[in-house]
């Protein structure tokens, strides 16, 4: 595949992913979940929410659950990770390296609900970054957060494509080396397949 065709396929895949608007389904779930302001106010520090960011959100009369992650929401609605990770513009890889992998949370393949402590860690990460974004932006609004979500979805899809390209490149190099070894009669080697070893020594 040449560079132009690769660029076309990349653009189509990212655009298609964004147009699915899975974020709207997640937002609807968060909207229907009962997590009042009081659940946050009791422990802002533990949740990683900066006081100034909290004041800004409250002043704009935005329900906190639409901006800040709460362990109770993440535990009951693991897919909500997409919403908060999107607002914080964090990649799946970055979240995994700092806390835990939330990939299965977001695609709905996790076999059981994440435990409370894990949810606290993830919520704290999201909220700390979201707080930083809010306090370092001029008149931040919830619309800014929603735009971040769409941008993050696109970035996530781009990351998936880069991984696929990297794997294909790695496999090509491995196969090239294997083909070369087969032609070099002076070099004995073995191909290991599961528990069986095939000797190709000369």
């Amino acid at each position: 595949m040449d560079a132009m065709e690769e660029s076309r396929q990349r653009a189509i895949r990212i655009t298609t992913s964004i147009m699915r608007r899975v974020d709207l389904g997640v937002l609807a779930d968060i909207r229907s979940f009962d997590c009042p302001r009081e659940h946050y106010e009791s422990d802002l520090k533990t949740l990683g929410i900066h006081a100034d960011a909290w004041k800004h959100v409250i002043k704009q009369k935005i329900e906190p659950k639409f901006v800040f992650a709460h362990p109770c929401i993440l535990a009951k609605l693991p897919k909500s990770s997409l919403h908060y990770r999107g607002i914080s513009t964090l990649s799946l890889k970055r979240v995994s390296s700092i806390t835990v992998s939330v990939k299965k949370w977001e695609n709905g393949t996790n076999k059981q609900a994440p435990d409370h402590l894990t949810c606290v860690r993830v919520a704290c990460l999201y909220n700390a970054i979201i707080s930083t974004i809010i306090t370092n932006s001029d008149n931040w609004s919830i619309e800014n957060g929603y735009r971040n979500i769409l941008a993050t979805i696109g970035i996530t899809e781009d990351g998936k494509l880069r991984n696929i390209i990297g794997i294909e490149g790695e496999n090509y190099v491995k196969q090239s080396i294997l083909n070369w070894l087969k032609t070099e009669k002076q070099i004995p080697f073995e191909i290991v397949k599961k528990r069986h070893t095939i000797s190709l020594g000369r």
Side-chain angles (χ1 to χ4, degrees), residues 77-91:
L77 302 172
K79 284 186 178 181
S80 66
S81 169
L82 171 66
H83 179 86
Y84 304 111
R85 182 175 67 82
I87 295 178
S88 64
T89 69
L90 289 166
S91 68

Side-chain angles (χ1 to χ4, degrees), residues 91-103 121 125:
S91 68
L92 286 169
K93 186 175 182 179
R94 181 57 61 89
V95 174
S96 178
S97 67
I98 299 175
T99 55
V100 297
S101 174
V102 295
K103 185 176 181 179
R121 291 169 57 203
L125 170 63

Side-chain angles (χ1 to χ4, degrees), residues 24-34 63 65-66 77 146:
L24 294 181
V26 173
L27 180 59
D29 289 338
I30 293 173
R31 183 176 288 112
S32 64
F33 193 89
D34 184 28
E63 283 191 64
K65 68 180 181 180
F66 293 124
L77 302 172
Y146 293 154

Side-chain angles (χ1 to χ4, degrees), residues 157-171:
E157 196 62 39
D158 184 55
K160 291 178 183 177
L161 287 172
R162 291 177 185 275
N163 286 339
I164 291 172
I165 293 171
I167 291 171
E168 289 179 347
E170 180 182 345
N171 289 338

Side-chain angles (χ1 to χ4, degrees), residues 105-199:
W105 295 16
E106 295 182 12
N107 62 27
T109 59
N110 53 306
K111 295 182 179 179
Q112 59 185 18
D115 63 84
H116 179 73
L117 183 57
T118 298
C119 289
V120 170
R121 291 169 57 203
V122 174
C124 189
L125 170 63
Y126 291 160
N127 294 335
I129 302 301
I130 292 170
S131 292
T132 298
I133 292 172
I134 293 173
T135 56
N136 286 278
S137 301
D138 293 329
N139 199 30
W140 185 91
S141 68
I142 190 63
E143 285 72 27
N144 296 136
Y146 293 154
R147 281 194 285 270
N148 279 4
I149 294 172
L150 290 178
T152 303
I153 289 174
I155 293 169
T156 297
E157 196 62 39
D158 184 55
K160 291 178 183 177
L161 287 172
R162 291 177 185 275
N163 286 339
I164 291 172
I165 293 171
I167 291 171
E168 289 179 347
E170 180 182 345
N171 289 338
Y172 175 79
V173 171
K174 286 180 179 178
Q175 189 59 50
S176 296
I177 293 173
L178 182 59
N179 292 340
W180 176 77
L181 286 171
K182 287 179 179 178
T183 64
E184 293 296 313
K185 297 182 179 180
Q186 301 302 317
I187 303 177
F189 72 102
E190 295 179 336
I191 298 177
V192 179
K193 291 186 177 181
K194 294 184 179 180
R195 296 183 179 179
H196 304 287
T197 301
I198 303 173
S199 178

